[in-house]
Amino acid sequence: MSETIVISPTSRQEGHAELRMEVDDEGIVTKGQYLSITPVRGLEKMVTGKVPETAPVMVQRICGVCPIPHTLASVEAIDDSLNIEVPKAGRQLRELTLAAHTINSHAIHHFLIAADFVPPELFATAVKSVSEIRKTVQTVVDTVAGEGIHPSDVRIGGMAQNISEVARKRLYARLKALKPKVDEHVDLIVGLVADKGLPEGLGVHNQPVFATHRTYGDRTKFDMDRFTEVMPESWYNDPEVGKKACSTIPLYDGVNIEVGPRARAAVFDGFKGQGVVAQHVARAMEMKVNLSKAIDLLAELDTSAPVMADFDVRGTNKLGIGSVEGPRGSDTHLATVNPDGKIGFYSALVPTTWNIPTMGPATEGFHHEFGPHVIRAYDPCLSCATHVIVVDDEDNSVLKNEMVRI
């Protein structure tokens, strides 16, 4: 006799979500559904009608975990709408900011999954390793982008200022010195995940992967003609689940896809791993990739070069695309700037939104006790991935259920 097991909210992730698993007599998941239950975002509506500079400042508040990717995706979208060519040094500083942030974010995820993989005798070692790595890469973001959480120096057209030569040399030396620690940390995490003995094939699915760039982002790789979006009621087969879900379902070429570290490794490195173990391995290895990228950027940076383009803020209603590879996957912001210099349209298509329809089915075929392992392997962040419903004040019935375009 089948039953439905519901975990709500799922734990050790950002934001709130629900995992519903239909299981057979043996407890094997026959159907898995994962849905966001985090409430309204609404920031896209708030920036509409404002001057362009407002957008990156406000949308970085979409999420406390991913403020760097949202800031960068926002300025990239407005750059594109205004046909701005960012100077090379400005682009390098943006890439450096994201590389450091990605290492930081992956280290935080290792803290979140420590209870799953780290034995008590190694827990203090693992936490200390996470702390040491975070301290260094946060210093990079502080120095390059102005602030570690809300990067005030990332601007439309480039960066507010270049860093000094003294700062460049200091950061270069610190990141070079961090390399042995990151190598040791990655070996520790990969080894502990292997030692866990998770079932072979756990979390494997047949959906395509998608990524625009190995470390930063490339708007030319995001094809709007291949992107569609459907409401949750038409995706989940249970009407009550569809009404409860708080995110739209994005599709590429008509199907749900996977984004994130494993997707990037598969697209750009030919990584063949699949499933939960592969997710953790790809994420850990990506810390090395981004550390090498950051060191190379600092070695190449000309601290006397301009970092800000000259531009006219009056737009032409061109749809600008900003596609940045955040730690959890492709973060795409869309924006138009009107001829009066105000934002006419804004939308954010954030990483976890892509993975939501893929994560649930990835739990199928294994015992339901492994379901949370599958979800956490994606490092979901639900705070970004929400839409809007309008309810009657009297009886709370749903009057209007639309996407973010309220």
Side-chain angles (χ1 to χ4, degrees), residues 33 130 146 167 175 183 341 358:
Q33 296 184 107
V130 166
L175 290 184
D183 289 344
T358 300

Side-chain angles (χ1 to χ4, degrees), residues 148-202:
I149 304 300
H150 297 124
S152 55
D153 285 355
V154 179
R155 305 287 178 85
I156 297 166
M159 300 288 287
Q161 58 191 347
N162 207 331
I163 61 174
S164 69
E165 183 63 13
V166 172
R168 186 192 69 81
K169 290 180 177 177
R170 186 176 69 246
L171 294 180
Y172 180 81
R174 289 195 65 170
L175 290 184
K176 289 282 282 188
L178 184 66
K179 189 173 185 306
K181 169 56 66 179
V182 169
D183 289 344
E184 180 184 359
H185 177 82
V186 171
D187 289 344
L188 174 67
I189 296 300
V190 171
L192 291 174
V193 170
D195 291 345
K196 181 70 175 180
L198 293 171
E200 186 175 351
L202 179 66

Side-chain angles (χ1 to χ4, degrees), residues 201-393:
L202 179 66
V204 172
H205 59 75
N206 296 320
Q207 300 308 123
V209 295
F210 176 80
T212 64
H213 193 273
R214 187 65 183 94
T215 56
Y216 187 67
D218 183 351
R219 67 171 66 98
T220 67
K221 300 295 175 58
F222 182 80
D223 188 346
M224 285 293 294
D225 291 335
R226 299 169 67 184
F227 162 68
T228 54
E229 196 171 26
V230 299
M231 294 297 291
E233 290 95 328
S234 60
W235 181 261
Y236 297 101
N237 62 354
D238 183 334
E240 292 303 314
V241 173
K243 288 183 179 178
K244 188 174 186 180
C246 294
S247 64
T248 57
I249 304 297
L251 306 173
Y252 209 70
D253 293 331
V255 299
N256 55 298
I257 60 174
E258 177 189 324
V259 299
R262 191 186 77 89
R264 287 189 285 263
V267 171
F268 295 102
D269 299 341
F271 182 64
K272 301 297 184 185
Q274 293 181 290
V276 169
V277 172
Q279 293 277 0
H280 290 302
V281 170
R283 182 174 294 105
M285 297 301 293
E286 197 167 70
M287 296 174 76
K288 291 186 176 184
V289 173
N290 279 278
L291 180 58
S292 295
K293 181 68 176 180
I295 291 171
D296 290 344
L297 287 165
L298 282 165
E300 298 166 2
L301 180 67
D302 178 357
T303 54
S304 66
V307 294
M308 175 65 79
D310 293 325
F311 61 92
D312 186 342
V313 74
R314 291 171 297 180
T316 60
N317 291 320
K318 172 189 173 184
L319 180 64
I321 301 174
S323 196
V324 164
E325 289 293 326
R328 291 157 194 80
S330 297
D331 183 21
T332 300
H333 288 216
L334 308 171
T336 63
V337 180
N338 295 333
D340 65 358
K342 303 291 179 60
I343 294 175
F345 168 78
Y346 202 96
S347 183
L349 180 59
V350 304
T352 295
T353 316
W354 288 109
N355 284 335
I356 282 175
T358 300
M359 283 188 271
T363 65
E364 296 172 2
F366 291 88
H367 196 277
H368 66 80
E369 290 183 351
F370 292 109
H373 278 290
V374 175
I375 300 304
R376 281 197 284 274
Y378 286 85
D379 190 14
C381 183
L382 283 303
S383 294
C384 313
T386 55
H387 77 299
V388 172
I389 62 173
V390 179
V391 298
D392 188 292
D393 288 338

Side-chain angles (χ1 to χ4, degrees), residues 1 14 16 19 34 46 57 60 63 69 91 102 149-151 195 199 230 257 271 339 341 352 382 392 396:
M1 182 177 177
E14 176 60 26
H16 300 87
L19 175 61
Y34 183 73
M46 295 182 193
V57 174
Q60 63 187 226
C63 176
R91 161 85 179 200
T102 298
I149 304 300
H150 297 124
D195 291 345
V230 299
I257 60 174
F271 182 64
T352 295
L382 283 303
D392 188 292
N396 289 329

Side-chain angles (χ1 to χ4, degrees), residues 134-150:
R134 292 193 63 212
K135 182 178 181 180
T136 298
V137 294
Q138 274 294 83
T139 299
V140 175
V141 178
D142 286 343
T143 305
V144 175
E147 296 179 44
I149 304 300
H150 297 124

